[in-house]
Amino acid sequence: MNIQFDEKNRVFKLDTEHTSYVMAVVDNEGFLGHVYYGAKISDTDVAYLLRTDENPMVPSKNNRDRSSFLDTFPMEYPGNGVGDYRESVIAVLDKNGHSAVQFFYRSHQIFDGKKKIPGLPASFAKETECQTLEIVTEDPVLGLEAVLVYTVFAGSDVITRSVRVTNHEAETIALTKVMSASFDMDAEDYEMLTLHGSWARERQIEQRPVGYGKQSVSSVRGESSHQEHPFVALVSKDATEDQGKVYGVHFVYSGNFLAQVEKNQFDTLRVMMGIHPQDFCWELKQNETFYAPETVLVFSGNGLGGMTRNLHDFYRSHMIRSPYKNKKRPILINNWEATYFDFNEEKILTIAKKAKEAGVELFVLDDGWFGARNDDYRGLGDWYVNLEKLPDGISGLSKKVEELGLKFGLWVELEMVNKDSDLYRAHPDWIISAPNRFESHARHQNVLDFSRNEVVDYIYEMIAKVIRESSISYIKWDMNRYMSEPYSKGSAPCEQGKVMHKYILGVYDLYTRLTTEFPHILFESCASGGARFDPAMLYFAPQTWCSDDTDASERTKIQYGTSYVYPIVSMGSHVSAVPNHQMHRITPIETRANVAYFGTFGYELDLNLLSDAEIETVKKQIAFMKEHRELIQMDGDFYRLLSPFEGNETAWMVVSSDKTQAVAAFYQRLNKVNASWLRLKLDGLDANTKYEVSCDMAPVTSYDAKIAEAYGHKTEEDSVKTYQAYGDELMSAGIPIDREELNKKGGDFASLLYTLKKVDE
């Protein structure tokens, strides 16, 4: 049993394989306190940790200091305006105009399995794989009920939390804040780790000491955003990849969020996660319920790497719902950086034919195929084919691509509209915009009002018609701007506080309809790159375009940061053209592939423009990915070895679950002259297993043959360096890296790729 209730001590204890989460009901009124979260403990008689017999004591013993009790007690779901001066997780506006709310324990139930959250994506599992605790709490003054939901997963060190709030009184009450999770704990000099960024540099790592007061990350942009990520971790100061305590909190939501850590006067921390209260107000009539999104909690006593592998396994098993969760992802080519808007059917088929010759499996047609879409000023919202570019339509083109032996994919941006479009001219009130204010646009487009059912219905019918008439195996769903002026012309003034959340519910509704009608399609989420890369998107789209920045060197940072919380198979990663279209940097095509291997892998260029030597390199890259795709995407555990945020080198690796094979990569940013020796220490191997280690030492494709001959460098045919070593040697002593080999691999932005296989002795 994963969840226990000690009736005598009124203690709830939730156990994963290696962790425990403990709560207790205290005093006559039924305060629900947070007792403990961390490494697994054995006893349930631990309510003494709440120290209720010490000053200021519980109200039944010292009610004159009730406020002092409320301001120090480690609340499990703290109320508002009642004496606890720390941040609340819930606030209301009642009929008297007051914001006070406080919940007390009333009952609970424990059951196998897990309920769905209406309208929201959430983790899932079979009844035999998880157990759920629902704690019913009540504010007796307001007649408001909050059910706190906890689910423990049998094979994972993960606990999920969510909340549903129901109004049982006749009077309407407004919720002005509903956070999904909160817990209080001793400070212990933790540091706060978050993922920040901007367009083209998503999920950069920041780690800083937790000081007094409130420290937070958030988004009020209508999506989870480039700038901040709905994730926060508390890490002990000694934490590394392999050791130290780490608490991770991740939000299963794609809209506005707030993740906050507050350190108070008594050196305790309050950690919380939920929908950002800015521009949020949800009226509840009698017997109406508000469902808050799910939060994922993970504790690791084995450092950041332990947290990462827990989350990777959890999301692959219990969040990714697509049939592709257990399938190899197709190697694709996307025409965007090859053509932008300037294409016709002939050009597209020429690119597709060359891609097929190289071994590519899927061709993706990007922006520009619909309406009057010859640039980004017009056409968005008109989801019917541009017959001037594609006279046989998407239906005809998709069939011709399939006749070449490729699957066909399509780019869409369903939540947006240009004012220069038939859709806007017919329905100018369908955009989100405030009365009498300038209708802000970004990238020449406006946001459709997905808080309105009729808008979602219209878009669904338009794009579903295109899909039904064509042979489509993949859809890239983009979203290229934030929301501003959050006002719906389809809602009453008292309903405007619902708009931003209802918008996200509309997005989820459209995703649900499309994935239900077309379950065979592989969906890839995108939002100007990685602006909406969150666990909720994984529920619908098992992969997300990691960033619009396709430069290999910049991608090491982006993918390294993303790997803290997301499995490698969820990261869209491509080999792009050079000079790179964002950085204008030239990197070896080998390095571009060595980075892209650790993701879904594909190409974003016109292979017809490559030299014969480069095409041969591409063929070998595709063959390598096909050989190792199952290990990298489905079976392997990911280990970070060297951080691009700490030095000139980056390294990581994937090890099979049975530890019989692995792929490791080393990346150099800038070359060094007369520099020190390098050794790459691996991780995750079996110490007592002997491995054959192989590395292709052939010079990069652009390497000058005359230079190779002059220096006696090996030819491609005899360039594979192979030797044998035990796992303990490879992890403790490491692999020597010859700087001369890095010079042959390009010098600046050079990389090395290692494969390891168990030696049968």
Side-chain angles (χ1 to χ4, degrees), residues 326-337:
N326 295 316
K327 288 184 181 180
K328 301 170 188 176
R329 305 297 164 82
I331 296 171
L332 65 83
I333 189 165
N334 184 297
N335 72 297
W336 179 242
E337 290 191 6

Side-chain angles (χ1 to χ4, degrees), residues 348-358 363 404 406 608:
I348 292 301
L349 291 175
T350 300
I351 295 172
K353 183 178 180 181
K354 192 69 173 180
K356 172 59 182 175
E357 293 172 2
F363 176 85
L404 294 174
L406 296 169
N608 293 287

Side-chain angles (χ1 to χ4, degrees), residues 99-323:
S99 63
V101 58
Q102 185 177 27
F103 291 105
F104 301 94
Y105 169 82
R106 292 296 179 259
S107 64
H108 72 274
Q109 63 170 327
I110 299 170
F111 54 89
D112 293 335
K114 183 178 188 290
K115 298 176 183 177
K116 292 183 177 181
I117 306 177
L120 288 166
S123 59
F124 56 87
K126 299 176 183 177
E127 284 195 0
T128 56
E129 296 176 326
C130 67
Q131 196 171 40
T132 297
L133 164 67
E134 292 190 348
I135 301 177
V136 179
T137 66
E138 179 195 26
D139 182 315
V141 175
L142 299 175
L144 203 62
E145 176 185 270
V147 179
L148 313 183
V149 183
Y150 305 76
T151 299
V152 179
F153 295 80
S156 175
D157 284 327
V158 164
I159 296 171
T160 62
R161 289 187 58 179
S162 62
V163 180
R164 62 179 185 265
V165 182
T166 303
N167 178 20
H168 290 298
E169 293 295 316
E171 296 285 345
T172 297
I173 193 165
L175 304 175
T176 57
K177 178 198 293 185
V178 185
M179 306 298 279
S180 293
S182 170
F183 58 91
D184 293 350
M185 57 190 290
D186 292 339
E188 294 187 21
D189 289 329
Y190 289 108
E191 295 187 339
M192 179 176 172
L193 186 150
T194 56
L195 302 173
H196 71 94
S198 186
W199 174 79
R201 48 182 174 86
E202 295 89 338
R203 287 170 297 286
Q204 313 287 292
I205 298 167
E206 183 172 6
Q207 188 168 325
R208 55 200 183 275
V210 176
Y212 289 100
K214 299 172 183 178
Q215 295 109 100
S216 67
V217 291
S218 64
S219 172
V220 291
R221 299 168 182 265
E223 60 183 12
S224 39
S225 86
H226 296 99
Q227 288 71 19
E228 306 288 359
H229 192 74
F231 165 80
V232 64
L234 292 176
V235 301
S236 56
K237 282 191 174 181
D238 65 341
T240 64
E241 283 293 320
D242 301 312
Q243 67 177 23
K245 294 194 292 185
V246 180
Y247 295 86
V249 187
H250 209 184
F251 198 29
V252 187
Y253 189 62
S254 309
N256 294 349
F257 75 90
L258 173 65
Q260 183 171 283
V261 178
E262 179 181 7
K263 184 176 181 180
N264 79 344
Q265 57 187 328
F266 299 114
D267 292 330
T268 61
L269 301 180
R270 174 163 290 175
V271 184
M272 62 176 57
M273 179 77 78
I275 294 174
H276 203 296
Q278 181 172 314
D279 296 320
F280 175 85
C281 182
W282 198 277
E283 287 193 344
L284 285 180
K285 297 181 174 61
Q286 187 174 24
N287 296 325
E288 287 185 342
T289 299
F290 178 80
Y291 296 88
E294 186 172 66
T295 298
V296 174
L297 308 182
V298 59
F299 171 79
S300 166
N302 299 311
L304 290 160
M307 176 197 73
T308 285
R309 287 181 287 280
N310 281 334
L311 287 174
H312 286 194
D313 289 344
F314 179 74
Y315 288 145
R316 286 189 293 196
S317 299
H318 300 295
M319 191 65 72
I320 295 175
R321 190 177 53 114
S322 164

Side-chain angles (χ1 to χ4, degrees), residues 634-676:
M634 299 167 60
D635 177 58
D637 294 320
F638 186 74
Y639 293 84
R640 292 177 294 271
L641 306 176
L642 294 171
S643 171
F645 298 98
E646 296 176 3
N648 190 55
E649 291 85 28
T650 304
W652 53 49
M653 66 186 295
V654 174
V655 183
S656 64
S657 58
D658 63 5
K659 299 188 181 298
T660 61
Q661 57 178 321
V663 177
F666 172 91
Y667 312 94
Q668 172 177 270
R669 192 168 180 83
L670 298 180
N671 208 9
K672 293 183 178 180
V673 64
N674 196 27
S676 59

Side-chain angles (χ1 to χ4, degrees), residues 430-579:
W430 278 11
I431 65 171
I432 287 178
S433 60
N436 304 315
R437 294 195 179 275
F438 185 81
E439 294 171 344
S440 298
H441 56 80
R443 202 172 179 262
H444 318 298
Q445 61 195 56
N446 291 78
V447 183
L448 283 171
D449 186 359
F450 267 39
S451 73
R452 300 173 65 170
N453 293 333
E454 64 269 29
V455 179
V456 176
D457 292 344
Y458 181 89
I459 296 298
Y460 168 70
E461 290 300 335
M462 286 196 78
I463 196 60
K465 183 176 186 294
V466 174
I467 300 172
R468 292 177 193 129
E469 295 173 351
S470 308
S471 298
I472 296 175
S473 301
Y474 163 103
I475 286 181
K476 180 178 180 179
W477 182 325
D478 210 341
M479 194 264 197
N480 274 307
R481 63 154 292 178
Y482 303 124
M483 190 185 299
S484 59
E485 300 91 39
Y487 185 91
S488 170
K489 297 180 180 66
S491 297
C494 63
E495 297 285 301
Q496 295 301 323
K498 295 183 175 182
V499 170
M500 298 191 90
H501 181 57
K502 285 179 67 178
Y503 174 90
I504 294 298
L505 296 180
V507 173
Y508 295 155
D509 179 37
L510 184 56
Y511 255 119
T512 298
R513 295 195 213 180
L514 291 175
T515 55
T516 300
E517 182 174 354
F518 308 106
H520 67 283
I521 290 179
L522 170 59
F523 282 82
E524 178 171 288
S525 172
C526 178
S528 294
R532 202 163 64 184
F533 200 146
D534 54 67
M537 284 290 105
L538 288 186
Y539 182 84
F540 302 106
Q543 61 193 55
T544 299
W545 182 228
C546 208
S547 176
D548 281 344
D549 190 342
T550 55
D551 174 74
S553 184
E554 293 301 306
R555 270 299 187 109
T556 61
K557 288 186 176 181
I558 295 166
Q559 292 177 210
Y560 191 96
T562 303
S563 77
Y564 269 63
V565 289
Y566 294 108
I568 303 307
V569 71
S570 69
M571 299 185 202
S573 55
H574 295 171
V575 178
S576 65
V578 292

